[in-house]
Amino acid sequence: IAPGGKVHRGARAIRRIVKARVPETWSDYMVFEYTSPIKRMVYEVDGPAALPLRSIGLKSQVEGTVSYTHDEKGDRILYRWTVADVPRMYEEPDMPPLHTVVQRLLVSTIPDWREISKWYWNLSKPHLETTEEIRRTVAELTQDAPDAVKKTEAIFYWVSQKVRYMGITTEAEAPGYEPHDVSVTFENKYGVCRDKAALLVAMLREAGIDAYPALIHNGPKKDEDVPQPYFNHAIVAAELEKGVYTLMDPTDENTREL
């Protein structure tokens, strides 16, 4: 009730995204159940037909509380979810994060996780070019290593322990995701997770080991069905034997194992 006694029967919230993490994509995550009852709620996505929602998931459904319509008009598509009469949920001690267990909707214009994988590889690849000094360091570190595992260990320990975790510069294309040139990280001997991961990848590749930067989320597991490009950490996946990938985190400076 606003001043003067006027009753507001509803509210509208609009979020504007200026720059998408992955170009030409859009995704969202919305809870349809909460610690107070939901009497009525409408969630709409009004988007261009040229960029339709490719992945939609309504999770942990509360039966009979959500209805859905899909309306195409010209070059636009309107998706609408109407949520009604959802009882409140009750939190429990030590339960997982609320947004991962209540009724929730995930939507994305990205068709599958492979597309995000390709995007991050293409974003990182231009920054993996090595220098003569990097190649010389790799040769010195691996000269006595008898196999791929020992080569990987030697390079991993060098990157994890000789390159400090620190970042002071920004990135132009995808801040928070795009690594700096590995030559810069190698020369400065510092970088954040994506920089250290990129350097480790580049050095492993110089040693003849297939390796790739890998995005992960330190927290609740990502949804398998609906790809969304929200991550908070970068590590490395190395193919030490055919078809088997070993994951390693070069920001873990004190680990005794990969």
Side-chain angles (χ1 to χ4, degrees):
I1 301 178
K6 184 177 180 179
V7 177
H8 292 277
R9 300 189 181 278
R12 171 173 291 187
I14 299 175
R15 284 175 290 159
R16 301 190 185 278
I17 298 174
V18 177
K19 185 175 183 179
R21 287 173 169 83
V22 180
E24 300 301 317
T25 70
W26 182 84
S27 61
D28 200 14
Y29 193 124
M30 179 66 64
V31 295
F32 286 170
E33 184 182 9
Y34 202 60
T35 53
S36 56
I38 297 177
K39 183 62 179 175
R40 186 174 187 274
M41 170 184 176
V42 178
Y43 176 76
E44 294 182 342
V45 177
D46 184 350
L51 196 65
L53 295 180
R54 304 285 297 278
S55 305
I56 299 174
L58 181 60
K59 308 288 182 170
S60 303
Q61 297 184 40
V62 179
E63 187 175 355
T65 62
V66 179
S67 59
Y68 168 71
T69 61
H70 175 132
D71 188 19
E72 298 187 29
K73 290 185 178 180
D75 62 349
R76 307 292 296 180
I77 303 178
L78 179 64
Y79 307 84
R80 179 185 289 112
W81 287 264
T82 301
V83 186
D85 299 322
V86 184
R88 66 162 294 186
M89 64 83 62
Y90 292 86
E91 294 181 282
E92 299 178 2
D94 298 323
M95 67 177 282
L98 182 146
H99 72 278
T100 67
V101 295
V102 298
Q103 179 171 243
R104 59 202 181 276
L105 176 71
L106 292 81
V107 293
S108 178
T109 62
I110 305 168
D112 53 46
W113 284 106
R114 184 179 297 273
E115 290 299 310
I116 294 181
S117 176
K118 290 179 180 178
W119 164 75
Y120 196 58
W121 172 247
N122 290 329
L123 180 69
S124 301
K125 188 177 180 181
H127 301 285
L128 301 180
E129 186 173 344
T130 59
T131 63
E132 181 59 36
E133 188 176 359
I134 292 176
R135 291 189 286 271
R136 184 168 56 251
T137 300
V138 170
E140 292 172 354
L141 290 170
T142 60
Q143 60 184 351
D144 297 324
D147 53 36
V149 173
K150 291 302 181 183
K151 289 180 180 180
T152 301
E153 288 178 348
I155 297 171
F156 171 81
Y157 291 133
W158 189 91
V159 174
S160 66
Q161 296 172 9
K162 300 296 184 182
V163 180
R164 291 182 298 155
Y165 184 92
M166 184 175 76
I168 58 174
T169 56
T170 58
E171 307 79 37
E173 181 61 32
Y177 291 80
E178 182 182 10
H180 292 90
D181 290 346
V182 297
S183 58
V184 173
T185 304
F186 180 88
E187 181 178 349
N188 291 338
K189 297 297 185 292
Y190 65 74
V192 292
C193 62
R194 56 191 177 274
D195 302 319
K196 296 187 69 168
L199 178 59
L200 178 55
V201 166
M203 294 179 73
L204 288 173
R205 285 177 164 264
E206 283 294 341
I209 298 166
D210 281 338
Y212 305 88
L215 291 172
I216 67 170
H217 187 260
N218 183 20
K221 288 184 177 181
K222 304 295 290 183
D223 187 85
E224 294 184 9
D225 303 318
V226 183
Q228 297 184 321
Y230 307 117
F231 302 92
N232 56 19
H233 197 39
I235 60 172
V236 172
E239 192 174 13
L240 301 185
E241 56 181 288
K242 191 64 176 178
V244 179
Y245 291 91
T246 298
L247 301 177
M248 58 196 77
D249 183 355
T251 66
D252 192 350
E253 299 174 359
N254 299 312
T255 183
R256 300 297 298 174
E257 300 176 351
L258 291 179

